[in-house]
Amino acid sequence: MNDIMINAKNIMKSFGSTEVLKDISFTLEKGHVLSIIGPSGSGKSTLLRILTQLETADAGSLELVGKPLFTNVDGKAVYENIAQRRELNLKTGLVFQNFNLFPHFSVLRNITEAQRAVLKRDKDEAEAKAMDLLKKMNLADKAKSYPCELSGGQKQRVSIARALAMDPEILFFDEPTSALDPELTLEVLKVIRGLAEEKMTMVVVTHEMNFAKGSSDEALFMDGGVIVEKGNPTELFDNPKEERLRRFLNTFNA
């Protein structure tokens, strides 16, 4: 079980009387990329928010990097203590669709702030880490710029650098290209593909079907709060078993 980075079992979540997630179960191995696809309102983002502790589950169990975040006790999700939750939070990184950069901080400070405040790195170490990542993102010349001076694609690459600066073991992406035009989308997907080649464990909620098919180890299709179909991406896209998935994919091929 050491190589299982995410082990989700029977996760359920409701908002009032609306069941948003119904019995969600899946695993993800170390170094693998999982793409989660599905129509708006299918529960993808809620699942991602539970995996990254931005939302709490009602029932089920979840292990991250081999340690429990919550377990199912008498039909309810019971969370671990604060120390364990914080430890697991530090092992995950999240890249938002709308960048979430601090507008009044330079690019460099956006990447060093959490390193210094949370990981207690000194200024020189944090800045060296940030500059290494900016070079990797082809943004070394933007270190002193502010978010308002960047394109959407550049902002998203800074967001990815900021998440990587915390040395996460699992990196989550919530529709990382939905706010970008096609040209900028390609530059962000290129970065994510590069991370996949480096065997970074990632979960990507995406509408980019070519990415999901070509750059994932596994794909998962959600609709109506359930996992309708999951498995090998090529199989999923070329030979979908479920009619609902076939209809969904046809909307992209129309």
Side-chain angles (χ1 to χ4, degrees):
M1 290 293 286
N2 290 346
D3 285 339
I4 299 295
M5 299 294 274
I6 301 176
N7 186 13
K9 290 183 180 176
N10 313 118
I11 292 177
M12 304 181 80
K13 176 68 181 178
S14 295
F15 294 109
S17 60
T18 304
E19 277 188 294
V20 181
L21 296 178
K22 310 168 188 175
D23 201 22
I24 299 291
S25 299
F26 70 95
T27 60
L28 182 63
E29 292 181 27
K30 186 173 185 176
H32 280 200
V33 178
L34 169 68
S35 285
I36 302 178
I37 61 172
S40 297
S42 60
K44 306 185 303 294
S45 289
T46 300
L47 175 59
L48 200 71
R49 289 175 66 81
I50 287 172
L51 295 171
T52 56
Q53 299 192 53
L54 294 175
E55 192 64 70
T56 55
D58 295 333
S61 64
L62 176 63
E63 288 183 2
L64 298 171
V65 296
K67 293 187 176 182
L69 175 60
F70 58 85
T71 50
N72 204 58
V73 179
D74 297 329
K76 291 185 178 179
V78 176
Y79 277 76
E80 296 295 319
N81 59 51
I82 292 292
Q84 175 111 324
R85 292 172 70 172
R86 184 176 182 276
E87 179 189 342
L88 290 175
N89 200 37
L90 286 173
K91 292 181 183 294
T92 63
L94 175 60
V95 178
F96 298 89
Q97 56 182 292
N98 293 318
F99 323 128
N100 281 27
L101 298 174
F102 293 110
H104 55 297
F105 286 175
S106 68
V107 164
L108 187 65
R109 191 172 171 191
N110 262 286
I111 301 173
T112 58
E113 191 73 7
Q115 291 187 68
R116 298 189 67 190
V118 179
L119 300 182
K120 306 303 180 187
R121 287 177 179 155
D122 64 35
K123 184 172 183 284
D124 289 345
E125 184 185 4
E127 289 189 353
K129 178 81 172 180
M131 288 308 302
D132 281 346
L133 287 165
L134 285 173
K135 286 173 191 168
K136 187 173 185 175
M137 302 290 153
N138 291 321
L139 291 172
D141 60 330
K142 301 294 184 184
K144 293 181 180 177
S145 300
Y146 285 80
C148 64
E149 301 173 292
L150 305 179
S151 71
Q154 290 169 335
K155 289 177 188 175
Q156 194 58 292
R157 282 183 282 156
V158 172
S159 298
I160 294 171
R162 180 180 58 182
L164 289 171
M166 303 298 286
D167 297 326
E169 294 188 40
I170 310 171
L171 194 53
F172 295 90
F173 293 85
D174 184 12
E175 303 277 10
T177 60
S178 65
L180 306 178
D181 64 38
E183 188 175 346
L184 300 180
T185 290
L186 290 175
E187 67 184 41
V188 171
L189 290 178
K190 182 180 177 183
V191 168
I192 301 174
R193 285 192 180 99
L195 294 172
E197 288 168 8
E198 294 171 14
K199 297 300 180 185
M200 180 81 201
T201 307
M202 294 186 286
V203 177
V204 186
V205 171
T206 184
H207 280 116
E208 297 293 332
M209 296 301 123
N210 287 334
F211 171 84
K213 181 180 178 181
S215 299
S216 308
D217 299 286
E218 301 164 48
L220 187 155
F221 171 65
M222 291 182 66
D223 189 33
V226 301
I227 297 173
V228 177
E229 195 167 335
K230 60 183 175 181
N232 177 280
T234 303
E235 192 69 24
L236 212 72
F237 283 87
D238 291 347
N239 299 296
K241 295 182 178 67
E242 299 293 332
E243 174 61 26
R244 181 65 189 93
L245 175 54
R246 279 196 289 274
R247 290 204 312 272
F248 176 75
L249 293 176
N250 283 340
T251 64
F252 290 90
N253 297 327

